[in-house]
Amino acid sequence: MELTGKKIVLGLTGGVACYKAAELCRALTKEGASVQVVMTDAAEHFITPVTMQALSGKQVYSSQWDPRVANNMAHIDVTRQADAVIIAPCSADFIRKLAHGACDDLLSTMCVARPRHVPLLVAPAMNVEMWTNPATQRNVAQLREDGIAILGPAAGDQACGEVGMGRMLEAEQLLAELIASFQPKVMAGKRVLITAGPTFEAIDPVRGITNLSSGKMGYAVARAAHEAGAEVMLISGPTALPTPFGVTRVNVKSAQEMHDAVMAALDGQHVFIAVAAVADWRVVNPSAQKVKKTGDGSVPQLQFEQNPDILASAASRTTLAGHPYCVGFAAESENLIEYGAAKRERKGIPLLVGNIGHNTFGQDDNTIILFDENGHTILPRASKLTLARQLISEISKRIDQHSLFRRP
Ligand code: C5P
């Protein structure tokens, strides 16, 4: 659970996207958050406080003049304990209020009264014309200047029947953004390129050779890098995983395609993390047609040739922006410490991550070991996301001294 112990104020304003706020409330509590719902009068036209009370397990606040609040200070008390305030949906009118510091209902008063260290995130939801209206855009720019995080909106079909920008982000995306808001922004301003998943080497149009990599570790690293504030590009072999929110994904199949995609994207990257389980060999001349079974029981003879080593190529390349900090992964079945240190040298990289236990493919947990120029450090067993966050933190500490690895 990602939000255990966190106190979240979930504000709802008027908009049909209130139905998504019900889902968001549920998702927040499932992650362990304690959720205090606050609704405007307009929100109550779209969804009832009873629904939100049932989902949050707490009485909903909506009025400044609520006789249930003994000291009549809900606008102060609630935000003093909050770890974050998220307004979803946030209407054009509520954005206007926030931009001007209005205090004419409980929710707007709460936003103004909240301590400055409590982050405020808003998820706009409105018709495309309302969103693109210059007045709304002026107000949104003001919110950004005031340090308020604007989540979305997305483009697409709107409940009003029109199409365009203004749809509220889905609950799971808002949840991911809220979780990300609690992560330290140690990679702000950095560009990070990551490979993940297996590769697929064709034998013919319907058959091929691949491996059991699920892509979970690489996707966790991509998510953690995005949460840390980096601009992330994920070059992925075939996996069944959803793209982490905020990450640009390029799909490839073979090692050669992965190599070409990495080389095309490498310029300007600050960090390259090769997590993919790349096939070492590919079939020479894969058949253009499906290979037929023969009646005499003879079997096809496959010939292999070596694939390019993507990590080693990236590590030896100097780009316009200098040399990216390259990180490799190693899955050895024995002598990990000895082989890991040697592999780091051989690949010419400053940091190598070893998986302890040779079959981590498809698992949610892992134990990893970091090899750098000073030796090795074990990161104890944890979820792949936790380890990915630790890895990103370790990389962020090292990239400032990265001039050591800058080639002439
Ligand atoms: O040499 P080995 O396959 O053990 O090295 C593993 C590391 O090198 C991983 O980081 C993997 O993503 C990367 N690699 C690569 N291209 C290859 C083989 C491995 O980038 N052809």
Side-chain angles (χ1 to χ4, degrees), residues 357-368:
H358 54 108
N359 201 357
T360 71
F361 282 178
Q363 306 291 313
D364 289 325
D365 287 6
N366 202 358
T367 304
I368 59 178

Side-chain angles (χ1 to χ4, degrees), residues 154-381:
D157 291 342
Q158 301 206 299
C160 55
E162 295 184 9
V163 179
M165 284 295 275
R167 279 171 61 95
M168 189 169 87
L169 298 185
E170 300 305 319
E172 55 172 2
Q173 185 162 5
L174 293 174
L175 176 71
E177 296 289 1
L178 186 69
I179 291 169
S181 75
F182 291 115
Q183 296 303 319
K185 303 298 167 208
V186 291
M187 284 280 185
K190 298 284 188 289
R191 281 183 295 275
V192 178
L193 181 66
I194 297 165
T195 63
T199 62
F200 180 90
E201 307 299 327
I203 295 172
D204 67 19
V206 294
R207 303 186 184 94
I209 296 169
T210 185
N211 59 63
L212 290 175
S213 168
S214 63
K216 282 182 182 171
M217 190 67 203
Y219 278 57
V221 172
R223 174 174 173 178
H226 168 69
E227 287 178 342
E231 192 183 307
V232 183
M233 180 182 281
L234 175 64
I235 298 184
S236 175
T239 74
L241 299 174
T243 309
F245 293 116
V247 167
T248 305
R249 171 169 163 184
V250 176
N251 289 326
V252 295
K253 271 191 177 162
S254 66
Q256 186 65 50
E257 281 172 25
M258 187 175 276
H259 172 272
D260 295 349
V262 167
M263 291 307 147
L266 202 61
D267 267 353
Q269 300 290 341
H270 297 98
V271 180
F272 172 53
I273 313 175
V275 196
V278 184
D280 291 313
W281 312 285
R282 62 170 172 252
V283 177
V284 178
N285 293 332
S287 169
Q289 304 301 329
K290 185 180 172 197
V291 178
K292 302 292 285 176
K293 240 187 297 187
T294 54
D296 63 3
S298 65
V299 292
Q301 301 295 313
L302 297 179
Q303 259 200 333
F304 292 95
E305 62 188 334
Q306 190 133 12
N307 270 324
D309 188 319
I310 304 166
L311 177 57
S313 313
S316 64
R317 184 155 137 191
T318 306
T319 70
L320 292 176
H323 191 66
Y325 184 89
C326 290
V327 182
F329 270 69
E332 301 291 349
S333 54
E334 55 177 356
N335 295 340
L336 179 62
I337 304 253
E338 194 187 315
Y339 289 170
K343 185 169 290 188
R344 186 184 88 86
E345 297 277 334
R346 199 170 59 247
K347 300 254 181 187
I349 55 174
L351 184 66
L352 183 104
V353 184
N355 291 305
I356 296 182
H358 54 108
N359 201 357
T360 71
F361 282 178
Q363 306 291 313
D364 289 325
D365 287 6
N366 202 358
T367 304
I368 59 178
I369 177 163
L370 305 184
F371 297 91
D372 66 8
E373 76 276 18
N374 298 318
H376 64 267
T377 320
I378 293 178
L379 301 186
R381 188 161 196 85

